[in-house]
Amino acid sequence: MSRVYKFILPDVRKELNGWRETAGNIPDPELRKQALASIETKEFHCQGGSVYAAANLEQRHILIPLIVAFQTISDYLDNLCDRSTSMDPGDFRLLHQSMLDAVNPEFEISDYYALRDERDDGGYLISLVNACRLGISKLPGYRAAQPYITDLVKLYTDLQVYKHIDPNLREAALLDWWEQHKERTPELHWNEFAAATGSTLGVFMLFLAATNPELDEKSAKVIHNAYFPHVCGLHIMLDYLIDQEEDEIGGDLNFCSYYDNKEIMLHRIALIVEGARKDVAILPVSSFHVMIIEGLVALYLSDPKVSRQQEIRDISKQLMRNSPLMRVFFFINSRWIRKHVV
């Protein structure tokens, strides 16, 4: 946490200030509004993702700009699709092609706005893609990590397409998609698989691993499998857990709403926590990854949204009951950060 306060948070803020200035110059008013809103309301996504740079401070000048640029693409596109003037799956897929292009520098840049009315972003999205490519060019082990990063980004892109289409069509589309992939995660329900595909943590861990020039494909595969599906699934299920009230009001899809009752939901999330802890135990320096898991649980359960929802508050208390000291520490620390830093 000393590294996070001293190095990570200031560097993230510096990167985001640069992107905020660029976003402020976007000619199209709707694109400008969504770009600025994504930075303003989702800064903690970049802060959380950049914790991976704390594991290799000497390379933080590469990792933090890369993680911030990639996460900013994700947050910007999420805003564009959530508050979209379009419900065209082709539009959503073309927008998210930018994320695949960002992690595959050999791909040709596309016209990402070709299927929507709002198109003039002054080069903002392409600048983010190129910032990712610049960071990737400085990762000596990237070639070994690239297939596994691409796999995660493809799944992420599919999810963003299916979850943002017409509400009357999205559940059937998600179920059809799950049928194609369910053998990969037989222990998960369809909504849990979908949630796991919505996390960028596996990508960030592979970015970190790629700072090692000796990374090989076998090691990259082990990391991929240790993060997907349980660590990634835990990340997004916790996000949906605390967002239930606002998603219901906004008519947005929420994967926690598919459980029959809160007892089943609590049991399933607890199983995912257990699976995540077991999966990362095989990784080198597994204590770092356990810290990530406990930090995730604490970060989300300490969110002010929890106290405003009685049912979620009850679930939070049960998940925090008999917590390891690390989780309690991060719970207290997360509250302090929100009050004094964010």
Side-chain angles (χ1 to χ4, degrees):
M1 290 314 300
S2 172
R3 292 182 181 192
V4 168
Y5 288 128
K6 189 174 180 180
F7 301 108
I8 306 303
L9 295 181
D11 284 4
V12 169
R13 188 165 292 118
K14 180 182 173 184
E15 288 297 318
L16 282 176
N17 284 342
W19 289 117
R20 186 181 287 110
E21 185 177 340
T22 305
N25 293 320
I26 292 174
D28 185 279
E30 177 62 19
L31 298 180
R32 182 171 66 248
K33 173 186 171 184
Q34 297 303 341
L36 289 170
S38 72
I39 293 172
E40 214 58 49
T41 61
K42 298 178 180 180
E43 180 178 357
F44 75 97
H45 289 172
C46 291
Q47 292 171 331
S50 295
V51 166
Y52 284 91
N56 189 346
L57 279 182
E58 289 184 357
Q59 300 299 317
R60 72 182 186 277
H61 65 288
I62 297 171
L63 287 170
I64 292 176
L66 171 56
I67 290 169
V68 168
F70 188 80
Q71 186 61 49
T72 299
I73 297 176
S74 168
D75 291 338
Y76 170 53
L77 297 187
D78 194 47
N79 267 37
L80 275 190
C81 296
D82 265 345
R83 310 289 168 247
S84 186
T85 55
S86 155
M87 280 197 175
D88 176 8
D91 172 37
F92 299 150
R93 192 167 292 281
L94 185 55
L95 285 171
H96 283 88
Q97 181 63 39
S98 63
M99 296 184 75
L100 283 163
D101 293 348
V103 298
N104 290 281
E106 69 278 10
F107 286 10
E108 191 173 333
I109 296 285
S110 304
D111 178 3
Y112 305 119
Y113 300 102
L115 298 178
R116 61 173 36 228
D117 295 334
E118 307 87 6
R119 299 184 61 176
D120 189 1
D121 75 350
Y124 178 67
L125 186 51
I126 287 177
S127 294
L128 285 164
V129 170
N130 285 330
C132 292
R133 290 179 165 195
L134 177 63
I136 281 166
S137 72
K138 300 173 184 176
L139 297 177
Y142 189 73
R143 179 170 291 186
Q146 186 174 6
Y148 301 100
I149 289 173
T150 300
D151 176 65
L152 293 174
V153 177
K154 279 182 177 176
L155 289 172
Y156 180 91
T157 295
D158 286 344
L159 173 69
Q160 299 308 312
V161 171
Y162 300 135
K163 71 175 275 201
H164 285 113
I165 59 175
D166 186 323
N168 296 317
L169 304 175
R170 63 192 180 194
E171 187 175 328
L174 285 163
L175 286 167
D176 286 345
W177 175 53
W178 177 62
E179 285 291 334
Q180 300 167 36
H181 294 285
K182 65 181 181 181
E183 74 283 349
R184 293 179 63 164
T185 58
E187 73 280 18
L188 296 186
H189 297 171
W190 76 267
N191 56 318
E192 296 161 353
F193 164 79
T197 66
S199 174
T200 47
L201 293 186
V203 173
F204 298 154
M205 179 54 216
L206 285 162
F207 285 161
L208 169 61
T211 60
N212 178 5
E214 296 181 5
L215 181 71
D216 56 30
E217 195 166 326
K218 182 180 177 183
S219 300
K221 183 178 182 179
V222 168
I223 292 167
H224 173 285
N225 293 346
Y227 264 71
F228 184 84
H230 293 113
V231 177
C232 292
L234 174 63
H235 171 207
I236 301 303
M237 290 304 289
L238 289 169
D239 193 41
Y240 279 112
L241 175 70
I242 67 170
D243 281 349
Q244 285 185 87
E245 186 176 75
E246 64 183 52
D247 285 347
E248 188 174 349
I249 293 168
D252 296 328
L253 180 142
N254 187 300
F255 291 124
C256 283
S257 68
Y258 290 95
Y259 295 112
D260 290 339
N261 54 59
K262 71 176 185 181
E263 286 75 24
I264 294 174
M265 178 166 60
L266 178 66
H267 173 67
R268 294 299 300 176
I269 292 175
L271 283 178
I272 293 170
V273 173
E274 183 76 21
R277 291 176 65 94
K278 183 179 177 184
D279 290 347
V280 301
I282 65 168
L283 294 178
V285 200
S286 61
S287 58
F288 173 76
H289 306 284
V290 171
M291 181 197 75
I292 294 290
I293 292 165
E294 299 302 345
L296 278 174
V297 176
L299 176 70
Y300 281 101
L301 298 187
S302 64
D303 193 287
K305 295 177 188 176
V306 172
S307 61
R308 299 195 294 265
Q309 304 173 74
Q310 179 63 52
E311 186 172 289
I312 308 307
R313 193 159 68 239
D314 293 343
I315 290 171
S316 173
K317 285 178 181 176
Q318 291 180 65
L319 284 171
M320 286 299 297
R321 190 173 295 149
N322 301 320
S323 289
L325 282 175
M326 187 185 290
R327 189 182 302 173
V328 175
F329 165 77
F330 281 123
F331 186 86
I332 295 167
N333 186 72
S334 297
R335 284 192 162 178
W336 190 90
I337 286 182
R338 284 193 176 92
K339 196 173 289 186
H340 297 95
V341 180
V342 177

